[in-house]
Amino acid sequence: MKVLLMVLMVMRDLVKTDLINSTVFRKVVPLMPSHISQCLLEKRSINLNPIRTCGVLCSLKTNCLLFCLKGGTCSLYSAQVSSKWPGFSLAPNERIESYDECYSNWFVNSITPSLAAENISSSSSFLTSARPENIINGFHCRSYYYFCFSTSGGDSDRFWRADLGKPKRVSSIIISTRASYEQFSKVEITLGNSNDYDNIRFDYYEGPSPVGTDISFTPTNPVTGRYLQVQSFKNNYLSMCDIVILG
């Protein structure tokens, strides 16, 4: 009863503020890999104001990052889907899960949704199904591999780079690691205005190498710069599934 009352109170407030058009949720292409079922939190039947009601339920649900609607069914997921998600095309042993509409939950002051694939300048190498642009336009659900980024291995200099388009103030960066492999340690992030990416250190993460975890990089003071680099100094792969750049 208490939860229902909270939902009704929030819905009352949403009459004046449109949840779906706010910076909290962004509409994404509603074509997902069937693997998304591994990140399902809850399903509910909804008849009244389905988009708004489903959005409220996701806001109240712990770890809910995505909600999708199909007919009168609201599905809540912990999967993180970027605002640049192009929609799913078939991968090996996978089928498409389609919905009427899907909305992804993002940080209010994130710079990441403004990035496009062309902002990803380069990486030292990449696996065919783990391209560098995946971490801004991809899909991240637990151990699923196809929409993360990974170097191909054996690189002497493992890095991922992004051009933010113009100098931007960055206060923190959050990187989601792969859930299936320990491939993230001794990682340095640099940010500045030198287009050869030889810029000052933003922050550094020594380790250990976690799986399926969000790692925060936060300098003592915010840094302003255009050219961002994530580099690993460990003789191993560099793998990342998502990056959130906070202004």
Side-chain angles (χ1 to χ4, degrees):
M1 180 62 71
K2 185 176 180 180
V3 172
L4 178 60
L5 180 60
M6 289 176 62
V7 171
L8 292 174
M9 290 175 66
V10 174
M11 288 185 67
R12 178 200 63 193
D13 295 337
L14 289 177
V15 172
K16 297 181 180 179
T17 58
D18 188 348
L19 172 72
I20 305 306
N21 290 328
S22 74
T23 52
V24 177
F25 288 95
R26 293 177 183 269
K27 192 172 185 178
V28 295
V29 178
L31 299 175
M32 307 293 169
S34 59
H35 177 86
I36 196 172
S37 62
Q38 293 192 19
C39 287
L40 179 66
L41 299 172
E42 184 180 355
K43 278 190 176 184
R44 286 199 188 186
S45 294
I46 295 176
N47 297 315
L48 180 64
N49 296 322
I51 298 177
R52 189 165 295 180
T53 304
C54 196
V56 171
L57 292 172
C58 187
S59 296
L60 296 175
K61 186 75 172 180
T62 302
N63 297 325
C64 184
L65 298 175
L66 177 79
F67 70 88
C68 293
L69 289 156
K70 189 170 186 177
T73 300
C74 164
S75 299
L76 308 181
Y77 295 100
S78 60
Q80 188 159 347
V81 179
S82 83
S83 61
K84 299 292 184 180
W85 171 243
F88 179 66
S89 58
L90 290 176
N93 303 314
E94 193 69 73
R95 61 180 175 81
I96 295 175
E97 193 72 42
S98 62
Y99 300 89
D100 298 330
E101 294 183 273
C102 288
Y103 295 86
S104 182
N105 191 339
W106 282 82
F107 290 85
V108 173
N109 58 338
S110 175
I111 295 170
T112 313
S114 67
L115 298 179
E118 55 267 26
N119 293 110
I120 307 304
S121 301
S122 61
S123 61
S124 55
S125 66
F126 60 87
L127 297 176
T128 303
S129 55
R131 302 180 65 84
E133 62 267 26
N134 281 1
I135 68 170
I136 65 162
N137 69 4
F139 168 99
H140 178 36
C141 174
R142 299 191 180 180
S143 62
Y144 197 68
Y145 175 74
Y146 287 98
F147 303 108
C148 292
F149 157 72
S150 179
T151 56
S152 60
D155 307 37
S156 59
D157 188 21
R158 293 155 297 284
F159 63 79
W160 176 91
R161 292 172 173 173
D163 176 357
L164 303 184
K166 62 181 180 180
K168 294 185 178 181
R169 178 185 181 275
V170 179
S171 61
S172 183
I173 294 173
I174 302 170
I175 293 177
S176 299
T177 65
R178 284 181 62 183
S180 51
Y181 294 97
E182 296 180 354
Q183 296 177 343
F184 195 88
S185 63
K186 298 185 183 299
V187 174
E188 178 187 64
I189 295 182
T190 57
L191 177 65
N193 293 314
S194 176
N195 61 9
D196 63 0
Y197 291 87
D198 184 16
N199 292 303
I200 63 171
R201 174 179 284 186
F202 181 85
D203 201 4
Y204 177 80
Y205 177 77
E206 174 67 23
S209 183
V211 293
T213 302
D214 290 340
I215 305 297
S216 294
F217 292 80
T218 305
T220 303
N221 297 300
V223 177
T224 298
R226 173 175 175 174
Y227 299 100
L228 173 71
Q229 176 173 266
V230 181
Q231 183 174 13
S232 173
F233 294 100
K234 185 176 180 180
N235 186 23
N236 198 341
Y237 293 85
L238 170 63
S239 294
M240 304 182 289
C241 288
D242 190 78
I243 187 167
V244 175
I245 305 168
L246 299 176

